[in-house]
Amino acid sequence: QQASMIFVCSFFLPNLLNEEDTRMREIVDKHFPDNWVIPIYQGYLVDLTQYWGQFPSSKKALNNNVNEVIVSKTAISYQ
């Protein structure tokens, strides 16, 4: 729930998404380490790689957590 709120609130802080590399890295590491598709409201799902992919800082922060090794480990843990 907290991750969903952060996602929605982040769009009201464009500077955060565009220029705050360190802060975005901290947010992604804490709230989105292995969940890149999140529910936001009544079953609506959001893929962070698509929505945040257009913003430089958020894209850079997500790319640190969405790589082949981490995705493989996450997939194995759900089997």
Side-chain angles (χ1 to χ4, degrees):
Q1 216 174 22
Q2 191 174 23
S4 300
M5 291 171 56
I6 289 171
F7 168 76
V8 172
C9 291
S10 69
F11 285 102
F12 294 98
L13 300 166
N15 190 45
L16 174 71
L17 295 170
N18 286 311
E19 300 171 9
E20 301 275 344
D21 293 349
T22 306
R23 189 174 290 165
M24 276 307 298
R25 175 72 189 265
E26 190 176 322
I27 289 169
V28 169
D29 287 348
K30 183 174 182 180
H31 298 284
F32 308 101
D34 61 355
N35 56 333
W36 311 293
V37 178
I38 59 169
I40 56 168
Y41 180 71
Q42 292 187 349
Y44 289 100
L45 300 176
V46 171
D47 181 353
L48 294 177
T49 60
Q50 289 182 353
Y51 279 85
W52 279 356
Q54 60 187 327
F55 303 103
S57 293
S58 57
K59 183 177 182 175
K60 190 184 300 183
L62 278 173
N63 285 341
N64 288 319
N65 288 0
V66 183
N67 60 48
E68 188 176 340
V69 174
I70 293 173
V71 172
S72 296
K73 286 180 183 178
T74 303
I76 289 170
S77 70
Y78 283 102
Q79 290 181 353

